């Protein structure tokens, strides 16, 4: 999205805006970059930076915007594949267990926090003891949230496999997926 905006604004305005902001920074490296951009702005203003150079810079920005849009399209296509894989699953346990467990955890958490808030509001003298006792529940919440995390992670892996995502992309995440896009395959 940002490269598309930059391509519309154009290099001269971008150089002026960013150069001014960086030059007033307290960081020495940012100040140096700002001064360098002010030099580029002076070259543009004096006409020593040719229209062809500016057109090439704007072409680069447009190419970046196109790549960014293509990446977004690829991510959306992947999300659609995984959603379709979950919808197509015929196993009711697989389709319902993870969300059911998530809802149970959410309701349990809400009930616990509601009870704690109620006790603190109605009996402020007991607030310290209630908050201390709440800390004792950390282990059980760690176990429950870990199980929920594993459910979500493994189900996501199942949907990716069903959608045809190669295992190396699943294992290496975004870096492997982005390198796949860069190679064009």
């Amino acid at each position: 999205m940002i490269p598309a905006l930059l391509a519309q604004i154009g290099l001269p305005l971008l150089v002026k805006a960013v150069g001014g902001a960086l030059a007033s920074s307290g960081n020495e490296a940012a100040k140096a970059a700002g001064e360098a951009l002010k030099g580029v702005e002076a070259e543009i203003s004096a006409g020593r930076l040719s229209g062809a150079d500016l057109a090439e810079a704007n072409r680069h920005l447009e190419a970046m915007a196109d790549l960014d849009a293509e990446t977004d399209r690829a991510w959306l296509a992947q999300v659609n594949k995984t959603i379709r894989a979950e919808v197509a699953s015929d196993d009711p346990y697989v389709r319902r267990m993870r969300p059911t467990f998530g809802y149970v955890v959410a309701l349990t958490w809400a009930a616990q926090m509601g009870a704690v808030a109620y006790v603190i509001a109605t009996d402020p003298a007991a607030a310290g003891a209630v908050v201390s006792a709440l800390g004792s529940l950390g282990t059980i919440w760690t176990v429950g949230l870990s199980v929920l995390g594993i459910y979500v992670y493994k189900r996501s892996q199942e949907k990716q496999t069903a959608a045809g995502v190669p295992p190396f992309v699943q294992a290496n995440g975004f870096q492997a997926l982005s390198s796949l896009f860069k190679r064009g395959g």
Side-chain angles (χ1 to χ4, degrees), residues 52-183:
D53 291 335
L54 290 174
E56 179 63 18
N58 280 333
R59 188 193 66 73
H60 259 300
L61 286 172
E62 289 170 3
M64 286 174 51
D66 288 343
L67 287 173
D68 195 28
E70 184 57 37
T71 300
D72 289 345
R73 276 191 288 278
W75 277 108
L76 285 174
Q78 186 60 43
V79 167
N80 284 333
K81 281 182 184 179
T82 58
I83 289 172
R84 286 184 185 119
E86 182 171 351
V87 169
S89 176
D90 291 330
D91 185 359
Y93 181 78
V94 169
R95 291 187 66 196
R96 293 189 187 99
M97 179 54 195
R98 180 186 48 86
T100 301
F101 188 75
Y103 290 131
V104 167
V105 168
L107 288 173
T108 305
W109 183 273
Q112 178 181 319
M113 291 301 118
V116 169
Y118 176 79
V119 169
I120 290 173
T122 59
D123 188 8
V130 169
V131 171
S132 292
L134 192 60
S136 300
L137 295 174
T139 303
I140 197 162
W141 277 111
T142 301
V143 171
L145 293 173
S146 296
V147 169
L148 182 60
I150 291 168
Y151 271 142
V152 170
Y153 177 77
K154 293 307 280 179
R155 182 65 181 134
S156 296
Q157 240 181 6
E158 289 170 3
K159 290 190 289 185
Q160 288 174 341
T161 301
V165 176
F168 77 91
V169 173
Q170 292 176 25
N172 297 323
F174 177 75
Q175 292 173 342
L177 191 58
S178 64
S179 67
L180 183 65
F181 289 140
K182 287 177 186 172
R183 289 192 307 240

